[in-house]
Structures are given as structure tokens and as C-alpha cells.
Amino acid sequence: MKKLSREFYDRDTTVVAQELLGKLLVRQAGGVERIGRIVEVEAYLGEHDLAAHSSKGLTARTKTMFGPPGHAYVYFIYGMYFCMNVVTEGEGHASAVLLRALEPVKNVAGRTQGPGLLCRALDIDRRLNGHDLLSDDFHLADPETAGRITIVKRPRIGVDYAKHWARRRLRFYLKGNPFVSRP
DNA sequence: TGCACGATGAAC
DNA sequence: TTCATCGTGCAC
């Protein structure tokens, strides 16, 4: 189980998003190591992408997205949930990949089908915004047990306000996986 | 300084 | 389809 490198994240966001499928999210908190396999993601392609928070420009909230790759962008939404992203590409590109669903692997209690639920299950909240994903307590890893997978491409969820960007198929998930939030 | 609304999830 | 619940961005 090898930790993903900085270089992995510093590439085209649609490529990183698809390659994240099947990877492991590792979170250590309170002496417990929790692990989930990524089965659904969405790519957010920078300042031009009207669905991306970074389309508002550099603000206190979007600061992490504008930062270096390989860091977590965690935000609070609808007054009750947190969502976790992985920052991609070079500093200033303001792109990221939203983790939408996990398949439980180790010490995962509660459901993980959806961005808000997976954060709750893995104890991910605002404290982890900007956290380096090459750290020991919070990172992604390669399971190195690669099997054949088929990737399904669909429009992103909940971004109908984003004009033509709403139509683009930037949501990726593992075909047939029962933990995908909205197959 | 106020206010509309959101990269959600659950209930009805 | 409605609602819980609050931070963010933008209008005033």
C-alpha cells in the first residue's frame, strides 16, 4: 500500500480523477485507522469551470484550490455536511477532484455513498482543509491489487446552475459498484 | 449589514 | 418535493 506521490496529483485533472477510482483513502484519527476505496469522483476544472468554487476567484474559501497539488480542500455545505476534494495540477490552476463515494475497507462505520456521508464516516471536517495528503494521518494510497475496472462517465450532480459546464461528463464511477451514490 | 442559496441527505 | 441548517459571496 503505497502513498500517492505529489506528481500523481500534479497532472491533468480529468486524468487524475479517473485514476483515483480504486485508490484508497486512509484517515487516522483517535488512534483508529479508517480506510475506504474510492468508487466515485467528480472533476472540477479550474476558474473557467462555472461549477467549481474557484470560478468565484481567489477568496478565503477557495484559497486551498488555488494552492499546490496533493492537498485536501474540505468545505462545509448546506449547514450540515462536509465535502472533501483533492487539489490537482500546479499552484494557481485552482482545480480539484471531489470524492463522492467510498467502498468500506477497514474500520468504517456508517454509510459512505455520497460526499457528505463519506466525510462523516471517516471523521473528515474543516480542520483538514489545506491538509497535506502526503501526511501519515490523512492520505491516499495505491492498493497495488489492480483488477480490471470499467469507468462510467456522467454529468456532475447538483450543478445545473453552471450553464454548459453542467452538461459535461466529469463525474466518474466504477461500473456496477454497489457503493456509488447515484448509479 | 442583510440575505439568497448551495459540489447534501433524508423524510414524506 | 420539502426541509434541516449555516457559511459564503454579493447586493445594498
Side-chain angles (χ1 to χ4, degrees), chain A residues 162-180:
Chain A
K163 302 183 179 177
H164 64 284
W165 284 93
R167 301 169 51 84
R168 295 193 53 176
R169 302 202 301 171
L170 294 171
R171 172 173 173 248
F172 309 105
Y173 63 84
L174 295 180
K175 184 177 182 180
N177 189 286
F179 294 93
V180 170

Side-chain angles (χ1 to χ4, degrees), chain A residues 4 18-19 35-36 42 60 66 75-76 80-81 86 90 114 124 129 140 144 146 158 166 168:
Chain A
L4 299 185
Q18 291 173 78
E19 290 192 13
I35 301 178
E42 281 179 3
F66 281 84
Y75 65 89
F76 187 54
M80 58 188 86
Y81 295 105
V86 165
I124 296 166
N129 183 36
L140 279 73
E144 296 178 356
R168 295 193 53 176

Side-chain angles (χ1 to χ4, degrees), chain A residues 1 25 40 52 60 79 84-85 90 96 131 136-137 150 154 166 173 177:
Chain A
M1 196 166 81
L25 174 61
E40 179 184 354
M84 175 196 170
N85 297 249
H131 200 90
D136 289 334
D137 62 333
T150 300
R154 292 283 182 270
Y173 63 84
N177 189 286

Side-chain angles (χ1 to χ4, degrees), chain A residues 4 7 26 28 36 38 61 67 82 95 97 104 113 118 121 178:
Chain A
L4 299 185
E7 291 70 35
V26 183
Q28 311 221 34
I38 298 170
R61 184 198 202 195
F82 290 97
S95 49
V97 177
Q113 310 179 33
L118 78 84

Side-chain angles (χ1 to χ4, degrees), chain A residues 52-117:
Chain A
H53 291 166
S54 54
S55 65
K56 300 288 184 184
L58 178 57
T59 66
R61 184 198 202 195
T62 64
K63 186 181 168 198
T64 307
M65 281 190 84
F66 281 84
H71 289 253
Y73 166 45
V74 181
Y75 65 89
F76 187 54
I77 191 69
Y78 295 116
M80 58 188 86
Y81 295 105
F82 290 97
C83 290
M84 175 196 170
N85 297 249
V86 165
V87 177
T88 58
E89 304 191 46
E91 199 162 346
H93 279 256
S95 49
V97 177
L98 170 70
L99 304 189
R100 284 196 56 90
L102 304 175
E103 177 181 323
V105 172
K106 180 185 177 187
N107 290 330
V108 178
R111 302 176 60 195
T112 51
Q113 310 179 33
L117 291 178

